Amino acid sequence: MANVVVIGAQWGDEGKGKIVDWLSTAADVVVRFQGGHNAGHTLVIDGKVFKLALLPSGIVRPGKLSVIGNGVVLDPYHLLGEIETLRQQGVAISPDNLKIAENVPLILALHRELDAHRESAITSGAQIGTTKRGIGPAYEDKVGRRAIRLTDLAEPNLLDEKIDRLLAHHEPLRRGLGLEPVSRTAIRDELLAVADRVLPYRAAVFELLDEQRRAGKRILFEGAQGALLDVDHGTYPYVTSSNTVAGGAAAGSGLGPKAVGYVLGIAKAYTTRVGGGPFPTELHDEIGQLIGDKGHEYGVNTGRRRRCGWFDAVLVRQTVKVSGIDGIALTKLDILDGFDEIKICTGYMLDGVALTHLPASQSAQARVTPVYQSFPGWDGTTGGARSWAELPAQAVKYVRYIEELIGAPVALLSTSPERDDTILVQNPFQD
């Protein structure tokens, strides 16, 4: 059996929640390895809807160990609120089935305030499109070696010097931005008010996961957002603040790279993104509107409408290479039911030159134009199909051509939000 990493192969919102939940039945441990509560996962189980942002998707499955790795930035107040919401839905959560890396950095109120101020102050059109939940500033403090981490809450007598180090950066920054000062006492009170409720979940996660791996347990690594939002490999600067590519699973959990086995990329049968940034295949017409309406393309946690466009094989092929994707889970094929014509982007043109990848230059990314290949649509429906035989022939051709263009096979095909409406081609947990 191989451990499995699940990542988004586009800009996020590809339907990872359902796929992770589907795979979690075969997993023993589910690990979140990056991001914060800016990531939304919707799970539909027996008609019951669970909306997660921070907790691993495996938390709703009895008998699974859920882990929040050190690569995540943790808002302790949001964590407790999400736990309480799920408990009210009948989900059992305790330190027995949820572990949090003791070295995970914490998101504080000053991070959220700074995030919101920056985003609101940026000229319209140049905004990154953050969720204003403090994720970026928290990662900045982590890299700046001034973050307050979960384990620090267990040493309240040492908190003041850590807070002072944090404020040595934030006080002059806030003065320059015209924000009210924050006192050491306020931050201390903010932390100690939740310390007793979050500390029971802390663990040396690297050691725990190594024990699980050596015991033959199957580990599912769950990424947030999508690979095109990776801080290094995405559409910079319109990216998130963490490494969303598959390689981040090792660093964000404390396991070595050999512990990462099969890499499953999740991609929609079309393309969406939230917030600012380049989007070569974006549709500004009634077709884009129709795709968004049929696909219910709104953010799980933010409610923001997603931008919609045709499937971009160039970008997914790039993700396949950067993340070493072994197979793709293609989702939302049913949203394309009923279209007379469907297009796939097979390449780009930039200033009269043909390109086979998206360039790193921000200005070049904004200028590329897509090269399309058109396909006839299909009669009938793909929604709810559970075998290839139930799919219209033209829909099968569409999927096969995507495989050819991106250089990776479709391992799973999702045909509705329901867990069982999935066509399995290759089980990622089997070597």
Side-chain angles (χ1 to χ4, degrees):
M1 306 299 288
N3 296 325
V4 177
V5 180
V6 176
I7 63 162
Q10 295 161 314
W11 279 294
D13 308 309
E14 301 96 346
K16 292 185 294 297
K18 171 194 167 173
I19 302 300
V20 170
D21 175 60
W22 191 90
L23 289 170
S24 69
T25 58
D28 301 297
V29 185
V30 183
V31 184
R32 268 286 304 274
F33 63 86
Q34 50 75 220
H37 62 301
N38 54 341
H41 288 173
T42 299
L43 309 181
V44 182
I45 302 173
D46 297 328
K48 196 170 186 178
V49 178
F50 300 93
K51 294 189 176 183
L52 309 179
L54 184 60
L55 293 169
S57 296
I59 198 70
V60 301
R61 293 287 177 186
K64 310 297 179 183
L65 177 61
S66 291
V67 175
I68 295 177
N70 58 274
V72 173
V73 284
L74 182 86
D75 184 323
Y77 283 88
H78 180 90
L79 170 74
L80 295 172
E82 193 169 322
I83 288 174
E84 181 57 30
T85 297
L86 289 179
R87 282 176 175 164
Q88 291 177 4
Q89 291 186 276
V91 178
I93 303 175
S94 74
D96 292 330
N97 67 338
L98 175 63
K99 301 293 185 182
I100 303 174
E102 60 186 357
N103 53 337
V104 71
L106 301 180
I107 298 174
L108 308 178
L110 60 78
H111 294 130
R112 295 191 295 271
E113 187 177 2
L114 178 59
D115 197 3
H117 178 83
R118 284 173 170 171
E119 189 71 6
S120 300
I122 296 174
T123 304
S124 179
Q127 294 174 330
I128 302 297
T130 79
T131 56
K132 304 179 182 179
R133 297 186 176 190
I135 281 71
Y139 274 116
E140 290 175 35
D141 282 345
K142 172 185 176 178
V143 176
R145 296 167 293 186
R146 54 183 173 265
I148 294 175
R149 306 190 297 176
L150 178 59
T151 192
D152 295 332
L153 303 187
E155 300 175 322
N157 59 313
L158 299 178
L159 265 180
D160 284 351
E161 64 180 77
K162 297 178 188 300
I163 294 172
D164 287 345
R165 184 170 62 218
L166 180 72
L167 289 179
H169 169 80
H170 281 274
E171 281 183 338
L173 176 61
R174 293 175 70 86
R175 283 198 302 269
L177 294 173
L179 297 174
E180 292 294 321
V182 178
S183 70
R184 176 207 291 172
T185 301
I187 296 176
R188 182 183 176 88
D189 291 347
E190 176 188 356
L191 293 169
L192 295 183
V194 292
D196 290 343
R197 287 181 285 165
V198 296
L199 280 173
Y201 297 100
R202 69 173 173 148
V205 159
F206 77 94
E207 189 169 53
L208 171 67
L209 293 178
D210 183 67
E211 291 170 355
Q212 295 287 314
R213 181 180 66 86
R214 292 179 184 275
K217 302 297 185 181
R218 290 162 293 193
I219 304 174
L220 181 61
F221 298 91
E222 175 185 10
Q225 291 94 30
L228 294 173
L229 292 176
D230 186 274
V231 69
D232 289 308
H233 301 287
T235 48
Y236 191 90
Y238 298 96
V239 293
T240 193
S241 300
S242 58
N243 285 115
T244 58
V245 295
S253 66
L255 282 179
K258 289 184 179 180
V260 175
Y262 190 100
V263 179
L264 180 69
I266 318 297
K268 285 176 180 170
Y270 49 97
T271 310
T272 64
R273 86 170 295 175
V274 172
F279 188 166
T281 66
E282 183 174 10
L283 296 169
H284 299 280
D285 55 14
E286 65 278 4
I287 294 177
Q289 180 75 27
L290 179 59
I291 291 174
D293 290 343
K294 290 181 67 178
H296 304 289
E297 295 296 350
Y298 296 91
V300 174
N301 291 301
T302 63
R304 292 185 294 180
R305 185 174 179 88
R306 298 175 186 136
R307 301 154 65 190
C308 298
W310 295 119
F311 185 85
D312 192 329
V314 180
L315 291 179
V316 178
R317 182 171 63 239
Q318 201 159 318
T319 299
V320 167
K321 294 177 180 179
V322 171
S323 280
I325 289 174
D326 296 296
I328 288 286
L330 194 66
T331 67
K332 295 192 134 179
L333 181 65
D334 55 303
I335 304 306
L336 299 181
D337 290 352
F339 282 88
D340 294 330
E341 181 186 47
I342 298 171
K343 295 182 179 181
I344 297 179
C345 174
T346 58
Y348 299 138
M349 295 298 295
L350 175 63
D351 303 333
V353 178
L355 298 180
T356 57
H357 71 280
L358 187 67
S361 162
Q362 182 181 349
S363 63
Q365 289 177 357
R367 298 199 315 276
V368 297
T369 57
V371 176
Y372 286 119
Q373 181 164 342
S374 296
F375 283 80
W378 49 82
D379 296 324
T381 179
T382 63
R386 298 184 182 181
S387 71
W388 289 104
E390 297 177 54
L391 297 175
Q394 195 58 40
V396 174
K397 290 180 182 179
Y398 179 74
V399 173
R400 294 305 186 203
Y401 192 56
I402 284 178
E403 291 180 316
E404 180 182 334
L405 288 172
I406 66 175
V410 170
L412 297 96
L413 187 64
S414 173
T415 57
S416 93
E418 290 293 339
R419 176 183 173 277
D420 292 335
D421 291 339
T422 305
I423 300 172
L424 176 64
V425 181
Q426 179 184 16
N427 187 339
F429 271 115
Q430 293 179 348
D431 292 331

